[in-house]
Amino acid sequence: MDKGLHFTICVITTVLLLRESSQAGEENDPEILAAPKSGADSRGVGEGLPTLTVTTILEDPYVMVRGAELEGYCMDLLAALAAMLRFQYRVKVVADGKYGAVAAGGNWTGMVGEVLRREADIALAPLTVTSAREEVVSFTTPFLQTGIGILLRKDTASQDMSFFHFLAPFSKETWTALLFAYLLTSFCLFLVARLSPCEWSEPKNEENHFTLLNSLWFGAGALALQGATPRPQALSVRVIAVVWWLFTLALLAAYIANFTALLGAGSEQLPIQTFEDLVKQRNLEFGTLEGSSTFYYFKNSKNPVHQLIYEYMEKRREHVLVKTYQEAVQRVMDSNYAFIGESISQDLAAARHCNLIRAPELIGARGFGIATSQASPWTKPLSIAILKLRESGDLDYLRNKWWESSCLRHSREHWGPLELPALGGLFLTLGIGLALGILAALAELFSRSRRTASHAKKSCCSVFTEEICTRLRIKEPARQSQETSGKANA
C-alpha cells in the first residue's frame, strides 16, 4: 500500500513539473506572444472578444525581442488598434523571416504567404504596399510613409573641399555687405578726423594723421583683432572706432563658429546626391534586400538609371544582395558598400550610428500597411482606426518615440552659409555708430566755431561753413608745396 501511494505521488509530481516546464518554455519563446492581459482600462481587451493571429518580422525598431516579450513601434500600434477595435491578439514571428514575394513555384513566401494560407489573420510589420501584393491580399491605409533612399558611410562618401572653402561660412551677400561696411567705416574715420577740431585743431598749421590710407589700415587692423595706428584722440573718432571694434569682434565670432560647423559637417557633403551619381561612381558597391519590394521596384522600372542599378545587382546578386536589414547596416559600416532601401529605416540607422548618413534623393514614394486576407472583415475597421490615430497625433508620437536620435551632429541639411538677415542687427548697430560719430564731430566743430565767431565778432554759421570748407579742401601735397615756395621766396 505504501509503495502504491509513493508511486502515485511521484507520477503526479512529474506531471506537474512537465506542465510547468512547458508553460515556461512557451513564455520564453520569442516567436509567440500571448494576448495582453486585460486591465482596468475599459478599452482594454477582455474575455469573449475575438482573437486575431498577427504575423510580424523582427526588425528594429518595429518589432524587437526584450526578454520574454516583443516591443517596438508595431507592437505599440497593435495595442492601440486592439484598444480601439476591441479585439485580442496573438503575435507570431514569420517562420521564414521574409516579408513576402513570389517563389519559383508561384507560391508566396513570408508574411504575405502566411496571410494567404490563413496561418495569420493580419500581417503587421514594415510591409510595403505594392501592386503585386495588393492582387493577393488587402492592405489598410498606410501607417507610415517612406521611399527608397541610399545609406552611406560618411568617410566613404566624403568629397574634397574646394580651394576657396574658407569663404563658405558667409553668403555672397554677407561678404559684399562686409566689404561695403569696411570701406564706409574707413571713409567715416577719414571724414570725422578731418572735421573734428580735437583731432586736428589748426588745419593750416598741423598735419592730420588720419589720411585715407591710414584710415583703411586702421579698419583692417581691427578686422584682424590687431591694434593699428594712428590712435584716435577726438571723442567722435573714438565712437566710430569702438563701434567698429565691436562689429568686427561679433563678426569674427560668427565666422569662427560657422566655419567650425562647416568643417565638422565637411564629411557630410556628399558627391553621391542621386541614384545617377551612385551608378557613375566606381568606389562603392551597392545592393538591397534580396526579394524585397525595393529590388522589384528597380526590376520593373523603365527609368534607364534604375535599369542600370537592377542589372548591376542582378549580375552580382550573390555578392551585393543581403539577407537582413541588420546585415545591410553592418556591411555599410564595415566596407565600401551603399545600401538601397526604405528611407525610414535608413533614417533610424543614421540616428543610431553617427557615422552613417542618407543621401538626399528619394524615389518611389510608398507606404507601410497592414495586410489582411481579401475576404477579411477587419480591413476597413483597421484603416479607419489608423486614420483616427493619425488625426489625433498618436502616429507622430510613436514615430518620434522609436526614431529618437542618439547622435549630436551637424547635418548638411541644417547647415548653410550665414545669410545677411541673420547679421542685420549687427550692421544696423554699425550704421548707428557711424552716424553718432559724424554728429559728434559736427558738434565739436560747431562748438569751436562758436568760440571763434565770438572772438572774431563774426557770424557763427559763416565761421562754421568756413571751417568745414577749409578742412575738407586741404591736401597734404599742396600745403607742402606752399611751404616750399615760401621758403624759396624768403
Side-chain angles (χ1 to χ4, degrees), residues 397-410:
Y397 167 77
L398 292 180
R399 174 71 165 77
N400 296 332
K401 173 184 176 182
W402 291 103
W403 269 260
E404 183 179 4
S405 174
S406 60
C407 299
L408 295 176
R409 65 188 189 280
H410 299 281

Side-chain angles (χ1 to χ4, degrees), residues 16-285:
L16 291 175
L17 288 174
L18 289 174
R19 182 179 179 185
E20 234 178 71
S21 175
S22 174
Q23 290 177 349
E26 183 177 351
E27 290 177 356
N28 293 327
D29 187 356
E31 294 190 358
I32 297 179
L33 179 69
K37 298 178 181 179
S38 58
D41 191 346
S42 61
R43 296 178 301 167
V45 291
E47 295 182 0
L49 298 179
T51 300
L52 300 183
T53 300
V54 181
T55 180
T56 188
I57 193 168
L58 295 179
E59 182 175 326
D60 188 9
Y62 302 98
V63 180
M64 301 171 289
V65 178
R66 291 292 183 268
E69 298 181 353
L70 298 176
E71 65 175 28
Y73 177 92
C74 289
M75 300 310 299
D76 287 352
L77 176 60
L78 181 59
L81 294 174
M84 293 180 66
L85 300 179
R86 299 192 58 79
F87 63 83
Q88 301 179 83
Y89 55 86
R90 172 179 173 271
V91 180
K92 61 186 294 292
V93 177
V94 60
D96 58 6
K98 295 182 179 180
Y99 289 87
V102 181
N107 297 322
W108 281 81
T109 62
M111 292 177 285
V112 176
E114 291 190 353
V115 172
L116 282 174
R117 295 188 297 270
R118 303 298 176 92
E119 297 174 8
D121 297 304
I122 63 175
L124 177 54
L127 187 62
T128 306
V129 180
T130 64
S131 59
R133 290 171 179 168
E134 188 75 51
E135 289 179 355
V136 294
V137 296
S138 295
F139 279 98
T140 64
T141 299
F143 56 85
L144 271 180
Q145 298 293 336
T146 183
I148 300 176
I150 308 170
L151 184 65
L152 307 158
R153 197 173 75 244
K154 292 179 182 177
D155 56 354
T156 60
S158 60
Q159 66 177 0
D160 296 333
M161 296 182 181
S162 64
F163 189 71
F164 295 98
H165 201 58
F166 68 94
L167 297 176
F170 289 160
S171 65
K172 295 179 180 179
E173 293 78 8
T174 305
W175 283 116
T176 304
L178 175 58
L179 178 62
F180 177 77
Y182 164 67
L183 295 176
L184 179 63
T185 303
S186 300
F187 177 75
C188 287
L189 280 172
F190 167 73
L191 178 65
V192 170
R194 281 186 171 272
L195 291 178
S196 175
C198 300
E199 195 70 46
W200 193 18
S201 299
E202 297 294 336
K204 296 181 180 180
N205 302 322
E206 298 179 7
E207 291 185 4
N208 191 293
H209 297 291
F210 272 96
T211 62
L212 186 57
L213 289 179
N214 285 345
S215 300
L216 291 171
W217 176 247
F218 184 88
L223 276 173
L225 296 182
Q226 300 294 322
T229 55
R231 294 182 179 180
Q233 297 178 358
L235 175 63
S236 55
V237 181
R238 289 179 177 180
V239 167
I240 293 180
V242 168
V243 172
W244 178 245
W245 288 338
L246 293 176
F247 174 83
T248 56
L249 185 63
L251 195 73
L252 286 174
Y255 176 85
I256 293 172
N258 220 33
F259 192 55
T260 303
L262 172 62
L263 293 178
S267 61
E268 299 183 20
Q269 299 181 16
L270 304 177
I272 301 177
Q273 299 283 335
T274 65
F275 284 86
E276 185 175 359
D277 296 334
L278 185 64
V279 172
K280 290 179 179 178
Q281 59 82 38
R282 293 293 179 266
N283 297 326
L284 298 178
E285 296 180 322

Side-chain angles (χ1 to χ4, degrees), residues 24-25 63 89-90 100 149 165 207 241 248 256 258 261 274 290 325 348 352 414-415 427-428 432 450 454 475:
V63 180
Y89 55 86
R90 172 179 173 271
H165 201 58
E207 291 185 4
T248 56
I256 293 172
N258 220 33
T274 65
E290 184 179 3
Y325 172 76
L348 176 70
R352 297 192 176 179
H414 298 88
W415 181 92
F427 282 93
L428 177 62
I432 294 174
R450 286 184 60 184
S454 177
K475 296 183 180 179

Side-chain angles (χ1 to χ4, degrees), residues 191-478:
L191 178 65
V192 170
R194 281 186 171 272
L195 291 178
S196 175
C198 300
E199 195 70 46
W200 193 18
S201 299
E202 297 294 336
K204 296 181 180 180
N205 302 322
E206 298 179 7
E207 291 185 4
N208 191 293
H209 297 291
F210 272 96
T211 62
L212 186 57
L213 289 179
N214 285 345
S215 300
L216 291 171
W217 176 247
F218 184 88
L223 276 173
L225 296 182
Q226 300 294 322
T229 55
R231 294 182 179 180
Q233 297 178 358
L235 175 63
S236 55
V237 181
R238 289 179 177 180
V239 167
I240 293 180
V242 168
V243 172
W244 178 245
W245 288 338
L246 293 176
F247 174 83
T248 56
L249 185 63
L251 195 73
L252 286 174
Y255 176 85
I256 293 172
N258 220 33
F259 192 55
T260 303
L262 172 62
L263 293 178
S267 61
E268 299 183 20
Q269 299 181 16
L270 304 177
I272 301 177
Q273 299 283 335
T274 65
F275 284 86
E276 185 175 359
D277 296 334
L278 185 64
V279 172
K280 290 179 179 178
Q281 59 82 38
R282 293 293 179 266
N283 297 326
L284 298 178
E285 296 180 322
F286 53 88
T288 187
L289 289 174
E290 184 179 3
S292 64
S293 60
T294 301
F295 179 81
Y296 288 101
Y297 173 86
F298 287 99
K299 180 180 180 179
N300 299 325
S301 175
K302 304 301 181 184
N303 188 303
V305 175
H306 299 172
Q307 279 296 307
L308 290 176
I309 292 176
Y310 168 72
E311 292 173 4
Y312 174 90
M313 293 190 297
E314 180 64 27
K315 291 178 181 178
R316 300 167 177 81
R317 62 180 305 137
E318 297 297 330
H319 187 60
V320 299
L321 297 184
V322 293
K323 302 294 183 182
T324 64
Y325 172 76
Q326 289 76 13
E327 178 187 348
V329 173
Q330 193 63 42
R331 186 166 176 182
V332 172
M333 296 176 63
D334 295 340
S335 62
N336 292 340
Y337 181 77
F339 173 61
I340 302 174
E342 301 291 351
S343 62
I344 194 168
S345 300
Q346 294 175 347
D347 290 339
L348 176 70
R352 297 192 176 179
H353 303 282
C354 301
N355 62 333
L356 300 182
I357 188 171
R358 178 175 61 81
E361 186 183 32
L362 288 180
I363 59 174
R366 55 185 65 189
F368 294 153
I370 301 176
T372 66
S373 62
Q374 292 183 335
S376 174
W378 290 98
T379 307
K380 186 173 182 179
L382 287 171
S383 294
I384 296 174
I386 289 173
L387 291 174
K388 290 181 178 179
L389 291 175
R390 179 177 298 156
E391 293 167 357
S392 64
D394 290 341
L395 292 184
D396 293 332
Y397 167 77
L398 292 180
R399 174 71 165 77
N400 296 332
K401 173 184 176 182
W402 291 103
W403 269 260
E404 183 179 4
S405 174
S406 60
C407 299
L408 295 176
R409 65 188 189 280
H410 299 281
S411 173
R412 181 175 176 84
E413 296 177 357
H414 298 88
W415 181 92
L418 203 56
E419 299 291 343
L420 185 58
L423 300 174
L426 194 59
F427 282 93
L428 177 62
T429 303
L430 176 63
I432 294 174
L434 296 179
L436 289 177
I438 294 175
L439 291 176
L442 292 176
E444 292 169 351
L445 185 59
F446 184 75
S447 177
R448 177 184 173 85
S449 299
R450 286 184 60 184
R451 291 194 299 268
T452 303
S454 177
H455 293 337
K457 306 297 183 179
K458 294 182 178 180
S459 170
C460 180
C461 293
S462 62
V463 174
F464 181 74
T465 304
E466 182 181 350
E467 286 281 352
I468 291 180
C469 293
T470 303
R471 293 171 187 276
L472 295 182
R473 289 175 183 173
I474 290 179
K475 296 183 180 179
E476 303 292 339

